[in-house]
Amino acid sequence: MDNRDVAQLLNEIADLLDLQGVAFKPVAYRRAARNIEDMDQPVADVVAKGALRDIPGVGDAIAKKVEEYVQTGKLPYLEKLRSEVPLGLIELLKVPDIGPKTAIVLNRDLGITNLQELREAAENHRLRGHKGFGEKTEEKILQGINMLQAKGERMLLGDALPIAEGIVEYLRANASVEKISIGGSLRRGKETIGDIDILVGDNNPARVMDSFTGHPFVQTVLMKGPTKSSVLLQKGIQVDIRAVETGSWGAALQYFTGSKEHNVATRKIGVDMGLKLNEYGLFERDSGRKVAGATEEEVYRALGLTYIEPELREDGGEIEAAREGRLPRILEHSSIRGDFHMHTDWSDGGNRIEDMAARAVSKNYEFIGITDHSQSLKIAGGLTPDRLRKQIDAVRKAEDALGGRIRLLSGTEADIKADGSLDFPRPLLKDLDLVIASVHSRFKMPKDEMTKRVVAAIESGYMDILGHPTGRLIGRRNPYEIDMEKVLDAAAESRVAMELNSWKDRLDLADGHCRMAKAARVKVAIGTDAHHVDELDFMRLGVITARRGWLEAGDVLNTMSGKDIVKHLRGRRP
Ligand code: DGT
Ligand code: CA
Ligand code: CA
Ligand code: ZN
């Protein structure tokens, strides 16, 4: 349980109190939630020290509830509130323009209890004419619902992963399960996740199901059976759990990891060998004798395949490669020795150069690139040439202060302007250790113009890495039109690397483009684009995406030593 979890529960209390028309209290709960979330120390430590009431906004009433939750994992006050307010009303608050007062009116006067009913009421024009609702408001509400539902369908890998890990940890602690793993698309590391799947290997599944459905974040139990259950958490996030006997663990994990297409292909291999593969094991078709099932490795081996990492299980050629023993040895997180892309308080980042460096040292990194925005990006506090010169000195100083424990690359994330030129004069670019160049404007250019623009930047001789090469924001902004083949050809020629920006809604390059880059012999540089020390943790999303793109350590610049990366970059300066 981390501070964010506690904050989330307090915010939910605030929403529910709002929906009961309670005054003042919701504001207090939200304030406490924000302060707890922003704290550096884990809330459990603060509770243990008895210092909860020292946090601004945390009075006696709120402190007691937080203590109870931290100590017991339960919060009866919240459960009571949940039982008093129709479940779906909280959803209504997510629609832009609907606050608690409106939600209460909609519920009291029109009997609306959830998003679906609100949609129907709006579609049948039952809102207009009602107190305060005009035709316009009705339309706006409908648009808001559409946006919510389109986005709500799948969640980001970076959002789903911590939630799922929290549940796994909770079940380890509370149900002392023998084996447990995330499964489904989340284990395969897909960039968006439909629902979270969790698999448990345990010979007493009933206890696991009780524990799971009793998790404090569970809002609705959709289904509860002896070996499987499904629940909804806040925001409609669905979690499915399955429990199997430990002897079937490997076969079940293989089955519930998917993808469906990969499973169809592995099953077919079995059929051709006279075997039957299902979630209980791999069996001889005629005798029914069990051939394998306890581990995934033994299942794959019995099918004549080498072990296939979950990220590769998309029926994208991995089965043929496994049969012929030519699967790549994909990138491991432990091979990462640095991060190329981050922002500091010199532009729109939240921490100092020294803070970013200290966090990187604690990750055992050998180098990081300090790459604040360039002058054209005024909204992000882009640096003028003058400021950038000063920053180069500041970076050197910070590096010296750390006594050689890490190399700090003085760099920039320079805008690629509409004509393909970079946003700083060449002599200045020459003095930097690292130049990332990215498109941040004029996204709607026709494809051939955009391709020319980016190729011109690549061929300028002054850039090392093309930042977030397609500009997409998952679920929010489409990639810009660009001829990736041509870009990769130019990059191969100029030995410019492609960034794999691992910000959670970018993951740009996407997995498929990573494979294209590898085929074109273009190196990939993973950058978190962190604007805060904690966001350096997004590295793992980049690693997962690189793995899905079949990249090996040798394809990724982050695996070079600090010394080698400095040498590599110096060798590129004209
Ligand atoms: P998602 O949730 O849409 O992001 O995608 P998945 O892959 O997690 O799909 P999900 O949650 O429906 O099912 C989890 C895994 O269970 C899936 O990856 C493979 C396995 N599975 C589910 N249904 C079937 C099926 O009908 N046939 C086979 N072969 N496998 C299935
Ligand atoms: Ca799933
Ligand atoms: Ca599922
Ligand atoms: Zn950028």
Side-chain angles (χ1 to χ4, degrees):
M1 147 180 12
D2 65 15
N3 296 4
R4 229 173 322 165
D5 299 339
V6 173
Q8 204 180 351
L9 294 180
L10 296 179
N11 279 325
E12 191 185 344
I13 291 177
D15 285 346
L16 290 167
L17 289 171
D18 262 340
L19 288 170
Q20 293 193 331
V22 176
F24 307 118
K25 271 197 200 173
V27 180
Y29 273 93
R30 287 203 179 88
R31 174 153 182 253
R34 203 171 45 239
N35 289 335
I36 288 177
E37 191 168 0
D38 287 348
M39 250 172 7
D40 285 333
Q41 312 168 54
V43 64
D45 292 358
V46 179
V47 169
K49 273 188 264 165
L52 209 50
R53 287 163 185 78
D54 300 341
I55 301 169
V58 180
D60 206 42
I62 296 180
K64 282 204 177 110
K65 289 177 188 99
V66 172
E67 282 161 357
E68 182 173 17
Y69 176 62
V70 167
Q71 283 155 5
T72 66
K74 294 218 177 318
L75 196 40
Y77 177 66
L78 174 58
E79 280 156 30
K80 180 171 151 285
L81 285 175
R82 279 179 186 158
S83 70
E84 288 166 0
V85 177
L87 264 175
L89 277 195
I90 275 205
E91 290 181 342
L92 298 194
L93 297 181
K94 291 183 199 125
V95 180
D97 303 318
I98 296 192
K101 289 214 179 73
T102 314
I104 293 171
V105 171
L106 289 169
N107 180 244
R108 191 189 54 209
D109 296 359
L110 296 170
I112 290 169
T113 59
N114 60 41
L115 211 53
Q116 196 48 40
E117 289 170 10
L118 179 63
R119 168 188 284 286
E120 281 161 19
E123 280 170 351
N124 298 324
H125 307 308
R126 283 199 290 119
L127 300 185
R128 69 177 64 163
H130 197 77
K131 267 195 309 235
F133 292 104
E135 214 172 300
K136 273 242 175 67
T137 336
E138 197 175 72
E139 249 167 55
K140 266 174 83 181
I141 287 179
L142 208 47
Q143 276 170 7
I145 298 174
N146 285 339
M147 200 189 68
L148 262 181
Q149 292 188 331
K151 190 174 100 204
E153 276 167 17
R154 298 186 71 81
M155 67 194 124
L156 296 173
L157 172 66
D159 290 331
L161 207 47
I163 295 172
E165 286 168 342
I167 295 172
V168 166
E169 230 175 86
Y170 166 89
L171 288 174
R172 278 217 178 95
N174 289 274
S176 56
V177 291
E178 289 173 50
K179 288 175 183 293
I180 185 163
S181 171
I182 293 169
S185 54
L186 186 51
R187 182 162 182 245
R188 303 197 308 279
K190 271 189 78 158
E191 62 192 35
T192 64
I193 308 299
D195 67 8
I196 294 173
D197 300 286
I198 291 177
L199 184 71
V200 167
D202 199 285
N203 297 335
N204 180 6
R207 194 190 63 232
V208 179
M209 296 301 138
D210 286 342
S211 185
F212 174 67
T213 53
H215 189 288
F217 288 179
V218 169
Q219 285 203 330
T220 317
V221 177
L222 297 173
M223 195 259 305
K224 184 177 175 188
T227 60
K228 61 180 187 179
S229 302
S230 287
V231 300
L232 290 181
L233 311 180
Q234 281 138 335
K235 298 183 193 153
I237 296 171
Q238 183 173 334
V239 187
D240 294 345
I241 193 165
R242 269 294 266 252
V244 298
E245 289 176 3
T246 47
S248 299
W249 170 252
L253 187 55
Q254 199 277 334
Y255 181 90
F256 290 110
T257 296
S259 62
K260 276 179 196 140
E261 294 73 17
H262 176 88
N263 289 357
V264 167
T266 45
R267 237 181 354 247
K268 180 164 181 311
I269 292 178
V271 169
D272 294 344
M273 297 170 77
L275 300 170
K276 204 178 101 188
L277 176 63
N278 57 32
E279 63 262 53
Y280 304 105
L282 183 62
F283 304 91
E284 279 176 0
R285 189 181 44 217
D286 298 333
S287 68
R289 192 179 72 88
K290 191 166 180 174
V291 184
T295 66
E296 283 190 316
E297 284 80 358
E298 84 180 27
V299 170
Y300 282 110
R301 201 179 317 125
L303 291 170
L305 305 173
T306 57
Y307 177 72
I308 302 175
E309 298 283 356
E311 290 92 336
L312 302 180
R313 300 183 195 171
E314 297 290 350
D315 195 23
E318 76 279 9
I319 295 188
E320 298 74 2
R323 188 159 32 206
E324 292 158 20
R326 55 174 176 81
L327 270 179
R329 204 189 287 188
I330 54 178
L331 178 70
E332 300 274 349
H333 197 151
S334 56
S335 307
I336 297 294
R337 298 159 95 165
D339 185 341
F340 287 100
H341 188 162
M342 66 196 65
H343 299 268
T344 71
D345 59 3
W346 284 69
S347 67
D348 60 346
N351 296 103
R352 299 172 312 150
I353 296 168
E354 291 82 353
D355 303 325
M356 300 306 266
R359 183 62 68 90
V361 166
S362 77
K363 289 180 178 298
N364 285 322
Y365 283 172
E366 298 176 29
F367 67 89
I368 51 171
I370 303 294
T371 53
D372 278 305
H373 292 291
S374 63
Q375 50 190 345
S376 293
L377 211 60
K378 295 214 171 59
I379 47 161
L383 271 55
T384 59
D386 210 37
R387 290 260 300 151
L388 182 54
R389 287 256 175 231
K390 293 208 171 77
Q391 195 193 32
I392 295 175
D393 294 337
V395 168
R396 284 285 78 79
K397 274 206 191 104
E399 186 181 61
D400 290 345
L402 283 161
R405 266 183 295 176
I406 187 165
R407 312 240 178 189
L408 304 188
L409 309 170
S410 62
T412 179
E413 181 185 11
D415 268 23
I416 298 176
K417 294 196 277 190
D419 62 359
S421 65
L422 304 187
D423 194 20
F424 282 123
R426 292 185 165 190
L428 177 52
L429 292 172
K430 242 172 98 169
D431 286 347
L432 293 168
D433 298 327
L434 171 67
V435 177
I436 300 177
S438 320
V439 169
H440 286 128
S441 60
R442 303 273 314 273
F443 296 119
K444 296 221 162 71
M445 273 187 167
K447 186 170 182 174
D448 55 333
E449 269 182 57
M450 185 62 97
T451 306
K452 265 195 208 141
R453 171 185 182 183
V454 170
V455 166
I458 288 173
E459 291 176 345
S460 71
Y462 286 84
M463 66 181 267
D464 305 304
I465 298 171
L466 176 64
H468 42 73
T470 78
R472 70 154 178 183
L473 297 175
I474 300 169
R476 290 199 287 135
R477 185 170 79 205
N478 287 328
Y480 38 72
E481 299 275 337
I482 194 162
D483 186 336
M484 191 54 78
E485 298 273 357
K486 281 199 178 137
V487 169
L488 289 171
D489 284 346
E493 186 70 30
S494 303
R495 296 190 313 113
V496 163
M498 292 292 116
E499 176 175 70
L500 197 181
N501 186 300
S502 51
W503 187 266
K504 67 180 175 174
D505 69 1
R506 287 194 185 266
L507 300 181
D508 181 12
L509 298 178
D511 46 16
H513 283 147
C514 288
R515 286 186 84 168
M516 281 172 67
K518 181 171 181 158
R521 297 174 189 280
V522 171
K523 299 275 192 237
V524 170
I526 307 177
T528 56
D529 208 346
H531 287 62
H532 185 277
V533 284
D534 290 338
E535 290 164 0
L536 292 171
D537 293 349
F538 286 159
M539 180 56 71
R540 70 167 170 164
L541 306 179
V543 171
I544 290 169
T545 304
R547 288 165 62 84
R548 287 181 59 83
W550 292 51
L551 298 185
E552 300 176 274
D555 302 318
V556 176
L557 293 181
N558 307 63
T559 62
M560 290 172 84
S561 70
K563 197 169 142 218
D564 287 347
I565 202 72
V566 168
K567 210 164 96 193
H568 166 82
L569 291 169
R570 280 213 187 114
R572 298 185 42 77
R573 287 289 160 275

